[in-house]
Amino acid sequence: MSTAGLTPPEAARWADRSGLPLAADRHAAVAATAEHIHSVVSILRELDFGDTAPAHRADEEHPDAAV
């Protein structure tokens, strides 16, 4: 599903099809949020992580550290 140009009624339809019906006053906010997520993911897909070192978990380094 592409969210480019997602309208509030389309967001409501997608939510309803997913089993998450939305109150009418939430349609615009959900559409705007989906648009934002789509734009962020699009940017992340363009990044080259080829030289990026793998992440490590802090608890591997300090197993007794409190979070």
Side-chain angles (χ1 to χ4, degrees), residues 8-48:
E10 290 170 327
R13 268 195 312 277
W14 280 103
D16 193 48
R17 290 175 76 181
S18 299
L20 302 167
L22 299 172
D25 64 338
R26 302 295 301 149
H27 296 181
V30 170
T33 301
E35 286 287 337
H36 180 73
I37 292 169
H38 177 73
S39 68
V40 170
V41 170
S42 295
I43 292 168
L44 291 174
R45 285 185 175 153
E46 294 176 11
L47 297 177
D48 179 12

